[in-house]
Amino acid sequence: MFNKQMKKVSLIIPYYNSAGFIRECLSSIFSQSYSNLEIIIINDGSDPEETAYIESLLSDDRIEYLKNEERQGVAFSRNKGLKSATGEYIFFLDSDDLISPYAIEVLVDNIQDYPAIFGTRKKLLRSSDFEPFSDLPDLKVKKVSVKKLFKGRSILNVLIDKEFLQQVNFKFYEGTEGYSDISGIIPFILSTDKLPQLNIKTYYKRVGVDPITKPSLIQRPIEERAREFIKMYLDMKIEYKESEEVLEYLDKLFLSYYRSSVIYIFRDYSYFDEFFNLLGTAIETFDVSLLSSQPSHIRKEFKYLKKRYKNKFHKALRFHIDFRELRNALKKSTRLKRYIFKKAFEFISKLPTNQKLIMFESFAGKQFSDNPRAIYQYLKDHNPEFKMYWSIDPRFRKEFSNQSVPIVERFSLKWLLLMARARFWVTNSRMPMWIPKPKNTIYLQTWHGTPLKRLAQDMKEVLMPGTTSEKYKKNFFKESRNWDYLVSPNRYSTEIFKRAFQFDKEIIESGYPRNDVFYSPKREKDIKAFKIKYGLSEDKKIILYAPTWRDNQYHKVGKYKMDLQLDLEKLRNELGDEYIIILRMHYLVAENFDLSVFKGFAFDFSKHDDIQDLCL
């Protein structure tokens, strides 16, 4: 199919503590249709337990294994790999990314006499997004401007002629951890206007799935990345001070970075003085003629930074932030409502806190149940001086119709007034991300189960619809920063909660309040009354089937499905004389099961508000 010259290709892979993904990465390399490969892995000071798989492969003569005794960074590791590379072509790869089976072959076959060739890249949000093709799609090559090809500021997914790298004394900038790719891009900008690019997917870039415990370079705190970008920018301007083309390229990068990141850099005003000075220093070298096409507020901010007018810059920046928030809110009616609601919430929360007000919620307002219910009932009996409300989802109002509890609809005006001034929040699931916790409110998170499956930061990949692993884990981490206390049922759960929620405040290892019902002196009386109320046999034993949900089984966002993993017919034939079965699906599962043919044997209690009754 191809005119293969079988020149050697050196794949250079810096590796640092990504054992969870290196197997998939190397598997995609071992599956290449192009066989003349040199795989250079640079262990950048990884923990010993993270290197077992790689070191088990060292008998493979295609692999060259280099090791840094201490972590030196991606740039240092790539430079080290380059010194050892013996291939005619170089291809840089991150250790958690994948390449398609024909990637190297089609790149080599189409590079011709160019110094480099690009493939097409796709985001890898989860492993199932990888699309290895058995038959090569229709292949097309087009010439694209170098600056457009490198718009993402990445050297990945580029097959490079090693002879070119030697001619330009190619070396990655090692002055910072991030943004070192830019030093690798500049030689191409200086040498050529256009390079070829293939239309088929050759590279799958994994979006960091562990942004909290193992953040990628781009997932680190914005302050850390901003310091590095400014340092790189200033150092590169000194190195290339004689090249107008490179200086213009760097200034445009700086302008783009400023416009996309300035709001987030100054989000925490404790960093204001530091970054006001850093940006002011950077702008001293900036070509202000590039601002002619920029909005007036950007020109004004640059002017104040350059002249070091701190107060004027602060006011201009505040306007910039408020204007951008409002502009984004006006794009959709739902965003605008949320924007208005959030601003009102922030204003009301500055009013005096009601020290006797407690807001309760269970499963995002869907139920009157679980640990919040047990705490509510105890306080009602023993501390009647508290004013207590239940936050409910109005779609589930009927679930509360038989309960004599004061309710308030989620996101109503009354709810806003109560939540913003309450002394305590008590809930067993997460609050919406856009609700800011008032400074004087104490947030008690009770959670709702024993972690027999992976939670939050412990999940390798998040498969639920409408989110990504990165977004889910970031949001979960941000939410758990709001919790003041977390209830744990036992020591086993405590250790997992600390790790999975990255929670370092007080954990109340008291057992779950909801379980007090099992030790109530009215226990037997309550069981009998429940059986009579719901028409259950008092003589037969009860099997409760209450499975959890699976994040990869769903109809759409927020609507999960459950395949019933029970042979009810067989169970009835074997156990029907002695047992009955109660089904109780997780609150996220959308299925309704037709049990009419099993009348008298199987009962669906999925909509019963409190599972503790069923466990009892």
Side-chain angles (χ1 to χ4, degrees):
M1 187 187 302
F2 299 100
N3 177 21
K4 302 176 185 176
Q5 298 178 24
M6 294 307 288
K7 292 182 178 180
K8 186 189 289 185
V9 178
S10 296
L11 293 95
I12 297 177
I13 311 171
Y15 174 84
Y16 178 72
N17 286 352
S18 56
F21 299 107
I22 188 65
R23 188 185 297 266
E24 290 179 59
C25 172
L26 292 176
S27 176
S28 75
I29 294 171
F30 296 150
S31 301
Q32 288 298 299
S33 58
Y34 195 87
S35 60
N36 195 8
L37 302 176
E38 177 182 54
I39 306 166
I40 303 174
I41 301 172
I42 307 96
N43 177 3
D44 190 22
S46 297
D47 299 333
E49 61 270 20
E50 296 273 352
T51 60
Y53 174 68
I54 295 175
E55 292 176 353
S56 72
L57 302 174
L58 298 187
S59 59
D60 190 323
D61 59 10
R62 294 172 295 177
I63 295 177
E64 181 175 357
Y65 182 58
L66 308 176
K67 194 170 183 180
N68 302 330
E69 293 305 320
E70 296 179 346
R71 191 175 186 191
Q72 301 291 336
V74 172
F76 179 93
S77 299
R78 284 177 175 170
N79 287 335
K80 189 171 186 174
L82 270 173
K83 290 176 184 176
S84 296
T86 60
E88 286 95 336
Y89 296 117
I90 303 295
F91 189 86
F92 296 104
L93 185 69
D94 281 351
S95 61
D96 53 356
D97 297 340
L98 308 177
I99 52 177
S100 55
Y102 288 108
I104 302 301
E105 185 167 10
V106 293
L107 289 167
V108 170
D109 196 65
N110 289 279
I111 192 170
Q112 299 179 19
D113 294 327
Y114 287 94
I117 184 172
F118 285 69
T120 297
R121 188 163 76 170
K122 180 182 178 180
K123 285 184 179 180
L124 189 67
L125 300 178
R126 48 183 66 90
S127 296
S128 58
D129 291 337
F130 184 50
E131 304 167 333
F133 39 80
S134 54
D135 296 318
L136 191 66
D138 291 337
L139 180 65
K140 295 179 182 178
V141 183
K142 61 180 178 179
K143 307 297 190 305
V144 183
S145 74
V146 169
K147 290 178 182 177
K148 184 176 180 179
L149 288 170
F150 283 117
K151 188 177 180 180
R153 303 195 295 265
S154 173
I155 201 75
L156 300 174
N157 197 27
V158 187
L159 185 76
I160 307 170
D161 190 324
K162 187 181 178 185
E163 189 174 313
F164 167 77
L165 299 182
Q166 292 169 336
Q167 289 171 358
V168 298
N169 296 316
F170 186 96
K171 184 181 180 182
F172 287 102
Y173 167 71
E174 298 178 12
T176 57
E177 179 75 1
Y179 303 106
S180 61
D181 282 27
I182 291 169
S183 61
I185 293 168
I186 289 173
F188 290 98
I189 292 174
L190 287 171
S191 63
T192 184
D193 292 327
K194 292 186 176 183
L195 287 171
Q197 182 181 29
L198 304 180
N199 66 317
I200 63 173
K201 298 182 187 75
T202 50
Y203 196 99
Y204 289 79
K205 177 63 185 168
R206 193 181 298 274
V207 177
V209 295
D210 208 350
I212 305 304
T213 57
K214 290 183 179 179
S216 64
L217 292 179
I218 200 65
Q219 291 173 325
R220 295 171 301 151
I222 183 67
E223 299 82 19
E224 186 178 335
R225 288 183 280 129
R227 292 185 194 102
E228 291 183 349
F229 183 87
I230 294 169
K231 184 178 189 309
M232 177 281 303
Y233 168 77
L234 291 171
D235 287 352
M236 289 292 102
K237 292 200 83 172
I238 292 171
E239 183 173 346
Y240 290 96
K241 61 185 177 182
E242 304 300 330
S243 172
E244 290 185 11
E245 187 174 10
V246 173
L247 292 179
E248 181 183 357
Y249 170 72
L250 290 168
D251 280 347
K252 286 182 177 179
L253 273 185
F254 179 85
L255 181 58
S256 174
Y257 188 83
Y258 180 90
R259 294 207 59 180
S260 64
S261 304
V262 64
I263 285 179
Y264 306 105
I265 293 172
F266 287 101
R267 184 170 45 194
D268 183 346
Y269 273 91
S270 63
Y271 292 108
F272 182 87
D273 286 347
E274 176 191 358
F275 283 104
F276 177 79
N277 291 325
L278 282 174
L279 287 167
T281 300
I283 284 174
E284 288 175 3
T285 72
F286 181 83
D287 181 1
V288 294
S289 68
L290 295 174
L291 295 174
S292 60
S293 61
Q294 295 300 307
S296 60
H297 65 277
I298 296 295
R299 297 198 303 271
K300 190 179 293 184
E301 288 167 26
F302 270 63
K303 174 184 173 182
Y304 294 152
L305 280 167
K306 194 176 184 71
K307 293 188 175 183
R308 304 300 176 100
Y309 292 163
K310 184 183 291 188
N311 290 335
K312 289 183 177 181
F313 176 74
H314 184 277
K315 290 179 182 178
L317 180 69
R318 187 68 260 170
F319 171 81
H320 183 173
I321 292 171
D322 291 343
F323 177 76
R324 182 182 285 194
E325 282 187 1
L326 179 59
R327 185 185 62 190
N328 289 338
L330 291 171
K331 290 179 179 178
K332 288 184 179 180
S333 60
T334 52
R335 286 187 189 177
L336 182 59
K337 289 177 184 177
R338 188 171 295 179
Y339 172 82
I340 295 170
F341 203 93
K342 182 180 177 182
K343 291 296 182 183
F345 197 100
E346 290 173 346
F347 175 77
I348 296 168
S349 64
K350 293 175 183 177
L351 300 174
T353 302
N354 186 334
Q355 299 295 324
K356 295 295 182 181
L357 177 59
I358 308 176
M359 295 298 293
F360 289 87
E361 187 176 276
S362 181
F363 298 115
K366 294 180 175 69
Q367 297 178 5
F368 177 60
S369 66
D370 205 65
N371 294 312
R373 176 177 180 171
I375 295 171
Y376 170 84
Q377 290 175 327
Y378 181 89
L379 288 172
K380 184 180 178 183
D381 294 339
H382 295 87
N383 297 85
E385 71 273 17
F386 283 103
K387 187 70 173 175
M388 300 183 289
Y389 288 89
W390 271 83
S391 166
I392 71 163
D393 184 327
R395 295 171 297 179
F396 293 82
R397 177 178 281 273
K398 65 179 181 180
E399 309 293 334
F400 293 81
S401 58
N402 296 324
Q403 307 296 340
S404 56
V405 295
I407 61 174
V408 58
E409 288 189 5
R410 245 177 163 223
F411 312 140
S412 65
L413 180 59
K414 183 178 180 180
W415 182 90
L416 183 152
L417 293 168
L418 293 171
M419 287 289 288
R421 296 190 61 206
R423 176 59 173 161
F424 300 96
W425 291 353
V426 181
T427 184
N428 65 350
S429 56
R430 291 185 291 154
M431 295 292 293
M433 288 305 303
W434 52 275
I435 299 294
K437 183 176 87 78
K439 181 174 65 174
N440 296 318
T441 295
I442 295 174
Y443 185 167
L444 172 63
Q445 172 59 248
T446 71
W447 205 240
H448 52 262
T450 299
L452 299 176
K453 64 179 181 182
R454 295 184 187 276
L455 294 173
Q457 309 307 329
D458 282 351
M459 298 171 71
K460 182 180 177 182
E461 289 185 320
V462 176
L463 303 176
M464 63 187 73
T467 190
T468 64
S469 296
E470 179 182 31
K471 182 179 178 181
Y472 175 84
K473 291 185 178 184
K474 276 186 175 180
N475 286 349
F476 217 127
F477 179 77
K478 184 178 178 181
E479 160 72 4
S480 64
R481 299 315 88 192
N482 289 333
W483 304 345
D484 295 294
Y485 300 93
L486 173 62
V487 176
S488 169
N490 45 55
R491 172 57 50 181
Y492 165 84
S493 298
T494 296
E495 295 306 315
I496 293 176
F497 286 168
K498 284 180 182 178
R499 183 184 67 241
F501 299 147
Q502 292 289 293
F503 187 74
D504 58 5
K505 297 180 188 176
E506 184 171 345
I507 293 183
I508 304 171
E509 194 179 295
S510 60
Y512 275 154
R514 69 186 188 187
N515 290 337
D516 289 355
V517 68
F518 300 140
Y519 303 93
S520 166
K522 302 189 303 174
R523 179 175 178 272
E524 296 301 327
K525 182 180 177 182
D526 288 343
I527 292 172
K528 184 173 182 179
F530 184 88
K531 287 182 176 180
I532 292 172
K533 181 178 179 179
Y534 291 101
L536 302 178
S537 171
E538 295 184 53
D539 301 323
K540 293 186 178 183
K541 300 170 186 175
I542 296 177
I543 295 171
L544 172 62
Y545 180 62
T548 190
W549 63 297
R550 300 291 179 223
D551 62 348
N552 62 344
Q553 296 179 12
Y554 51 84
H555 296 292
K556 59 181 180 179
V557 175
K559 291 290 186 181
Y560 294 86
K561 62 183 180 180
M562 171 66 72
D563 296 324
L564 194 61
Q565 303 293 316
L566 284 179
D567 186 336
L568 289 173
E569 182 66 37
K570 186 173 183 180
L571 283 166
R572 181 170 61 179
N573 293 339
E574 296 287 339
L575 305 174
D577 292 337
E578 296 182 63
Y579 291 86
I580 57 176
I581 289 181
I582 288 177
L583 305 181
R584 214 283 191 163
M585 301 298 108
H586 192 277
Y587 81 98
L588 286 175
V589 175
E591 306 295 348
N592 288 310
F593 297 104
D594 182 6
L595 301 178
S596 57
V597 295
F598 301 104
K599 187 175 181 180
F601 173 69
F603 301 82
D604 186 4
F605 277 81
S606 296
K607 293 185 178 179
H608 186 75
D609 55 3
D610 200 341
I611 196 173
Q612 297 310 94
D613 296 332
L614 309 181
C615 291
L616 193 62

